[in-house]
Amino acid sequence: MFEKRCANYKLTIMQSGKINVNTENIFPIIKKFLYSDHEIFLRELVSNATDASQKLKTLASVGEMKGELGELRIDIKLDKENETITVSDRGIGMTAEEVEKYINQIAFSGAEEFVEKYKDSKDASAIIGHFGLGFYSSFMVAREVEILTRSFKAENADGAVRWKCDGSPEFTLTPDSREDRGTDIILHIADDSEEFLEEARIKTLLKKYCSFLPVPVFFGEEQINQTEPAWTRKPAELTDEDYQKFYKELYPFSEDPLFHIHLNVDYPFNLTGILYFPKLKKNFEVQKNKIQLYSNQVFVTDSVEGIVPDFLTLLHGVLDSPDIPLNVSRSYLQSDSNVKKISSHITKKVADKLEELFKNNREDFEKKWDDIRVFIQYGMLSDEKFSERAMKFNLFRNTEGKYFTKEEYAEHIKTAQTDKDENLIWLYCTNTDEQHSFISAAKERGYDILVLDNVLDAHFINMLESKLEKTRFVRVDSDTVDKLIAREEDQPSKLSEEEQNKLKPIVEKYIPDSRFSVRLESLSETDAPVLITRPEFMRRMKDMSMVNGGNDFMSSMPETLNLVVNTNHPLAGKVLGTDDEKVQEELINQATDLALLSQNLLKGEALTRFVKRSYELMK
């Protein structure tokens, strides 16, 4: 048994032993738990090699290492013929005693704790590093693992040792003739993991996990990584071209970003990174999984939902913090106190940057507004603290292309668009082409109309109505213009009450469509004879339902439309002035179809009938 514990002994004969764990066959259990993430073995080994190299550099800087530091690099070698992968470094290495302590005792005790705690859990698949088991991820892909190592403290040829284990608690430890300091980890790849003997597979993993490690990483003759990526440098050292270049390295085929935020925090936690604002489409074509999370330049994940606020996942870029555990599950990260602090800080920095851009160059901010509006609205809907800050720089654009803050727009419309109950009415459209006739009618009466044309706007205006006192948002086609801002009584109708009571059933007789609710209103003679309006509440609820996936009760409800008959238009008198039912039907149908056509609601067979009827009327 491996019983010697004195600090100054050296290994002169082969030692063998059994690791003191209660679980007889621990590796198959670990492999079972971690199989879905088995590719992380390479990240773990290269990360360990990086740590060993960095520690040696630190010791050299304080004079605790004798001799030349030389070139510090990590080499990954693939030997397909012998079915091995070797990860080599020239770091601090280990003595025989350190191998026994760090490999046989600490890591295996972590393994036992892991198995006891998580053997019946479904959430065990990414806990390995939390228990000090990074090295043992090797056994997910290897049938046997060797460690060939020599400590930087070794002063003679007897200092090197070779550790070997086949995945059972049995191991051997023998002297070795290695002359250079450092460590080789040699994996004898298992039959079920032969995919890792392919050069392309290993290169892909190295690019994924090791592209920005601080120690040069070589695969064959090619250096895989940048050792000083942009986010590790000071902002004063970088130009706009540097930031753009780094963005293209991260996302080679993406459009240029709008702007960036460079994060550099050392208290009360450590955080560096660069976040980029991409151009977001107004129809919310969200590309998440674009923020890459690192721990000391080691890639952790690009699935950051729950780790950063949801709206921030619309951004691109890199976050790096040694305070983020490298090898734990996302559910663990979500509950980690440091992660929560980091998340809150990032939100604040993003708000700071946006407010700074707005204050320093409003003209440029307005030019970018349509590309960042979805992001800001999403943030305001999902994060209360961000919403409070964003109220200062959230903008509204009207149909004239002018931009306003909340306060500016309220001042702009208060004279013309305050109703009799002192409510401020914010008129808006969602499609300037489809709602053009309503927009024109509103403008003729001196009203101003906002353009709210993205998928989040229904939710957004609901939120604003709840926060702004005596404020209502009304879509410009939700009612007739005279009803939108009801400050006065309706103008008198040319039809008597008796005539109106006679007209309504005639219209309903020839408009059997269940979508329509027929209403009579005394509008201007110059207004259309028939208008189609959409009730604000029902339409807005349906819009909100569609954002949420469209699978609830509201989404299945048929569209409700108001068919408004203008009792002051000459057509109303013509319908009442004839007893010829065919003439009545033609007049009502023609006026209704024109209203539907103006709303892009006339299609198929109904459109064909309208065209034929129009030709007949022309005759």
Side-chain angles (χ1 to χ4, degrees), residues 234-273:
K234 295 178 180 178
E237 299 174 359
L238 299 167
T239 64
D240 286 341
E241 289 74 20
D242 292 327
Y243 286 110
Q244 294 283 6
K245 181 181 177 183
F246 181 59
Y247 186 80
K248 290 300 183 183
E249 290 170 3
L250 294 173
Y251 317 105
F253 304 108
S254 297
E255 282 188 85
D256 290 343
L258 296 167
F259 47 87
H260 65 269
I261 301 172
H262 196 138
L263 301 164
N264 195 344
V265 184
D266 54 19
Y267 182 83
F269 46 78
N270 291 296
L271 173 69
T272 55

Side-chain angles (χ1 to χ4, degrees), residues 216-488:
V217 178
F218 286 83
F219 183 43
E221 298 300 312
E222 179 185 0
Q223 182 172 338
I224 294 295
N225 61 323
Q226 290 184 47
T227 57
E228 294 184 346
W231 81 82
T232 66
R233 298 164 60 189
K234 295 178 180 178
E237 299 174 359
L238 299 167
T239 64
D240 286 341
E241 289 74 20
D242 292 327
Y243 286 110
Q244 294 283 6
K245 181 181 177 183
F246 181 59
Y247 186 80
K248 290 300 183 183
E249 290 170 3
L250 294 173
Y251 317 105
F253 304 108
S254 297
E255 282 188 85
D256 290 343
L258 296 167
F259 47 87
H260 65 269
I261 301 172
H262 196 138
L263 301 164
N264 195 344
V265 184
D266 54 19
Y267 182 83
F269 46 78
N270 291 296
L271 173 69
T272 55
I274 302 172
L275 293 178
Y276 293 91
F277 280 73
K279 292 180 179 179
L280 294 176
K281 306 300 181 185
K282 67 182 180 183
N283 57 354
F284 210 46
E285 294 173 356
V286 180
Q287 295 184 358
K288 295 188 178 182
N289 299 336
K290 290 290 189 177
I291 294 180
Q292 299 178 12
L293 190 64
Y294 288 77
S295 179
N296 281 328
Q297 295 175 237
V298 180
F299 178 80
V300 178
T301 183
D302 58 6
S303 181
V304 296
E305 293 94 333
I307 300 170
V308 301
D310 198 37
F311 78 99
L312 292 180
T313 61
L314 302 184
L315 300 182
H316 296 174
V318 168
L319 297 173
D320 189 339
S321 175
D323 296 321
I324 294 175
L326 178 59
N327 301 303
V328 297
S329 66
R330 192 157 76 238
S331 61
Y332 181 92
L333 282 173
Q334 290 168 4
S335 62
D336 184 81
S337 60
N338 279 325
V339 171
K340 289 181 179 178
K341 291 176 185 175
I342 289 170
S343 173
S344 177
H345 180 79
I346 294 169
T347 301
K348 180 182 181 301
K349 294 297 287 185
V350 168
D352 288 346
K353 178 70 173 183
L354 289 166
E355 188 170 356
E356 174 192 329
L357 290 170
F358 173 69
K359 287 182 176 179
N360 292 348
N361 191 341
R362 176 160 174 172
E363 183 180 354
D364 186 59
F365 189 81
E366 289 180 357
K367 288 177 182 177
K368 294 182 170 73
W369 177 251
D370 289 340
D371 288 311
I372 62 175
R373 178 159 69 102
V374 167
F375 169 82
I376 291 175
Q377 288 185 356
Y378 191 15
M380 293 177 72
L381 286 167
S382 59
D383 190 291
E384 186 61 32
K385 287 186 177 179
F386 180 81
S387 181
E388 291 174 8
R389 293 285 305 279
M391 282 291 186
K392 300 174 184 177
F393 51 77
N394 178 70
L395 296 179
F396 299 90
R397 176 171 60 86
N398 69 6
T399 53
E400 306 297 319
K402 296 179 180 178
Y403 292 86
F404 304 84
T405 63
K406 169 176 64 69
E407 290 80 8
E408 290 168 350
Y409 195 69
E411 182 67 25
H412 180 63
I413 64 171
K414 71 177 183 180
T415 301
Q417 293 174 216
T418 300
D419 70 10
K420 61 185 178 182
D421 297 318
E422 300 301 316
N423 291 308
L424 195 61
I425 308 301
W426 297 46
L427 297 180
Y428 70 95
C429 65
T430 57
N431 189 307
T432 53
D433 290 332
E434 291 181 3
Q435 293 149 20
H436 184 269
S437 61
F438 290 95
I439 294 169
S440 295
K443 284 184 176 180
E444 286 174 5
R445 286 161 173 78
Y447 299 152
D448 195 88
I449 302 96
L450 295 174
V451 179
L452 300 178
D453 56 0
N454 77 53
V455 71
L456 288 180
D457 278 320
H459 284 277
F460 188 64
I461 61 179
N462 258 26
M463 182 269 288
L464 288 175
E465 282 179 337
S466 70
K467 292 188 174 186
L468 305 179
E469 293 184 2
K470 298 187 78 64
T471 297
R472 286 196 304 121
F473 283 79
V474 181
R475 203 168 92 173
V476 72
D477 63 344
S478 65
D479 215 324
T480 57
V481 175
D482 293 330
K483 292 284 188 182
L484 290 174
I485 304 172
R487 289 179 295 178
E488 302 172 359

Side-chain angles (χ1 to χ4, degrees), residues 1 4 60 123 132 155 251 255 311 325 441:
M1 294 292 291
K4 295 182 179 182
D123 192 29
E155 296 181 352
Y251 317 105
E255 282 188 85
F311 78 99

Side-chain angles (χ1 to χ4, degrees), residues 489-506:
E489 296 298 322
D490 291 346
Q491 57 181 301
S493 174
K494 290 187 174 182
L495 301 183
S496 66
E497 186 175 342
E498 181 182 351
E499 288 173 319
Q500 291 184 51
N501 290 337
K502 182 180 177 182
L503 176 63
K504 187 173 182 181
I506 295 174

Side-chain angles (χ1 to χ4, degrees), residues 431 434 534 593-603:
N431 189 307
E434 291 181 3
R534 293 170 166 86
D593 284 351
L594 283 168
L596 289 169
L597 189 65
S598 71
Q599 296 291 296
N600 200 30
L601 292 172
L602 194 64
K603 302 178 187 299

Side-chain angles (χ1 to χ4, degrees), residues 508-600:
E508 290 175 335
K509 176 181 177 181
Y510 299 115
I511 308 294
D513 194 322
S514 60
R515 292 180 300 168
F516 293 126
S517 173
V518 176
R519 271 181 15 205
L520 304 184
E521 288 189 22
S522 51
L523 308 176
S524 168
E525 286 186 51
T526 59
D527 286 328
V530 173
L531 296 170
I532 305 294
T533 63
R534 293 170 166 86
E536 177 74 16
F537 176 77
M538 290 294 291
R539 182 202 47 73
R540 197 189 298 183
M541 291 302 105
K542 284 179 71 70
D543 287 348
M544 292 170 64
S545 171
M546 295 310 294
V547 176
N548 296 330
N551 295 318
D552 58 13
F553 172 75
M554 286 302 303
S555 65
S556 62
M557 291 284 288
E559 185 175 25
T560 303
L561 302 171
N562 292 322
L563 191 147
V564 181
V565 178
N566 181 3
T567 60
N568 287 335
H569 192 280
L571 184 76
K574 285 186 178 181
V575 171
L576 285 175
T578 179
D579 293 326
D580 190 328
E581 292 186 357
K582 185 177 180 182
V583 172
Q584 288 179 336
E585 181 178 7
E586 283 187 344
L587 290 172
I588 292 169
N589 285 339
Q590 188 72 0
T592 301
D593 284 351
L594 283 168
L596 289 169
L597 189 65
S598 71
Q599 296 291 296
N600 200 30

